[in-house]
Amino acid sequence: MMDKPFYEIVFVVLVYRNTQVLHDFFASLALPFTYRVIIVNSFYDSMTEQACRSVAMDHHADFISVPNKGYGTGNNVGCQYAVDHYGFRFLALSNSDIVIQDIEVLSEMKKTRAVYAPDTRMENGHRQNPHIPVRFGFYLKLLDLSYRYKSEELMSVAFAVNRVVRELFVLWTKLSGGKMVRVFSAHGSFIILTCQAVQELMPIFNEKMFLYNEELYLAHRCKLLGIPVYYVPKLRVLHLEGASSTSASSAWQNHEDSYNVLNRWMRENQLM
């Protein structure tokens, strides 16, 4: 059997409906090391599927189209395809609305089993990483209560508390020299995993979770397996957002459904 082609990094890019942002993603791939891109199209309709396929072909990327069963399923399919077809040091799970600003520091990373969270910013400058800097009970309790009582207000308070902790954590990181530091969870819009971490975690996500809370699931699995998650300020990406947006009512339902799945899984694994 022939050896698999080897790349420094393989990108699994999950696309739903909005294919225009893919052009920005590909335009940002001016990298000093070898890479391969796998486009996973979560099916919306034949027109967007064909548009997505055309972009992939234009950029010599692999293309897979799957039924739209959510973030976890699409990424798991892409990860399996990557493992089956390529050798790699790193695997990046990316939303389609990501612009890569600087990931060259990856060439200096020596850890064989790790998950890396870049400095991910939205267009308004707000940080999305570290997603949850530390596993602190107050935030997780607020989050749990927001779902239990179906309260978007409580959820907003929980997110606000986490944002404050995040900013203080980033400030501490800067004052400590800006080096990479252990955190609890990485934001799901762009995550980098080492090859060994991929192999140990597969399937990486719970496919019963359609959308939202996947970061918590991954964080808990990494903790169970002893795989460290690092926030790396020198890795920088821009998250344009909006490529997979949903209505407010369906977003809340997805939040609630995925958290219920997460809750059951945590109880089964004695994490609560």
Side-chain angles (χ1 to χ4, degrees):
M1 186 174 67
M2 293 182 61
D3 291 338
K4 299 174 187 176
F6 183 86
Y7 298 94
E8 190 75 5
I9 184 167
V10 173
F11 296 92
V12 172
V13 184
L14 187 62
V15 184
Y16 175 69
R17 193 173 178 180
N18 185 353
T19 60
Q20 291 301 311
V21 290
L22 276 175
H23 296 287
D24 295 323
F25 173 81
F26 279 108
S28 70
L29 287 178
L31 302 176
F33 37 73
T34 58
Y35 65 87
R36 186 76 186 182
V37 179
I38 301 166
I39 300 295
V40 181
N41 176 65
S42 284
F43 186 83
Y44 175 71
D45 61 24
S46 297
M47 184 179 296
T48 55
E49 179 185 55
Q50 184 53 46
C52 190
R53 187 192 305 272
S54 295
V55 176
M57 290 179 62
D58 289 345
H59 294 278
H60 309 287
D62 295 3
F63 177 80
I64 311 168
S65 192
V66 297
N68 180 27
K69 296 183 178 180
Y71 174 95
T73 298
N75 276 303
N76 282 350
V77 169
C79 288
Q80 188 63 60
Y81 184 94
V83 168
D84 289 345
H85 291 81
Y86 303 114
F88 52 84
R89 282 190 66 209
F90 303 102
L91 181 76
L93 304 179
S94 178
N95 283 11
S96 57
D97 54 349
I98 287 290
V99 172
I100 294 171
Q101 297 175 315
D102 189 354
I103 61 170
E104 291 186 19
V105 73
L106 277 179
S107 60
E108 302 171 13
M109 301 294 193
K110 304 302 180 186
K111 297 184 182 299
T112 57
R113 57 194 305 269
V115 174
Y116 296 119
D119 181 21
T120 304
R121 306 281 186 109
M122 296 162 60
E123 286 188 284
N124 60 12
H126 289 172
R127 287 187 181 87
Q128 294 184 309
N129 266 326
H131 175 249
I132 303 176
V134 293
R135 190 183 185 279
F136 60 111
F138 181 63
Y139 166 70
L140 295 175
K141 185 63 176 178
L142 278 177
L143 198 61
D144 184 65
L145 289 172
S146 71
Y147 287 115
R148 188 181 305 176
Y149 295 106
K150 302 182 186 297
S151 171
E152 294 185 47
E153 291 77 13
L154 265 179
M155 181 179 286
S156 295
V157 171
F159 288 167
V161 167
N162 190 51
R163 277 196 299 273
V164 171
V165 174
R166 179 186 300 137
E167 291 302 321
L168 291 173
F169 186 90
V170 170
L171 177 60
W172 172 79
T173 302
K174 287 181 179 178
L175 294 175
S176 301
K179 297 180 180 178
M180 74 177 189
V181 61
R182 288 281 294 268
V183 295
F184 179 60
S185 75
H187 194 273
S189 60
F190 191 89
I191 307 171
I192 299 174
L193 305 93
T194 63
C195 181
Q196 187 173 331
V198 171
Q199 291 169 345
E200 292 184 42
L201 287 164
M202 285 181 65
I204 293 175
F205 298 107
N206 189 326
E207 297 187 8
K208 295 178 182 177
M209 300 170 70
F210 183 80
L211 190 62
Y212 303 116
N213 293 308
E214 298 92 354
E215 296 102 336
L216 275 171
Y217 175 77
L218 178 58
H220 284 296
R221 290 202 61 221
C222 286
K223 187 173 178 63
L224 279 173
L225 293 171
I227 297 173
V229 181
Y230 293 97
Y231 167 60
V232 188
K234 289 183 179 179
L235 295 172
R236 297 187 299 108
V237 302
L238 176 66
H239 187 193
L240 302 176
E241 285 206 306
S244 58
S245 59
T246 58
S247 67
S249 58
S250 61
W252 173 259
Q253 190 62 54
N254 285 331
H255 265 291
E256 189 174 23
D257 291 346
S258 66
Y259 191 77
N260 288 337
V261 173
L262 176 65
N263 239 346
R264 287 193 295 273
W265 176 83
M266 290 179 67
R267 287 195 178 94
E268 290 168 2
N269 288 273
Q270 301 179 334
L271 295 172
M272 299 185 71

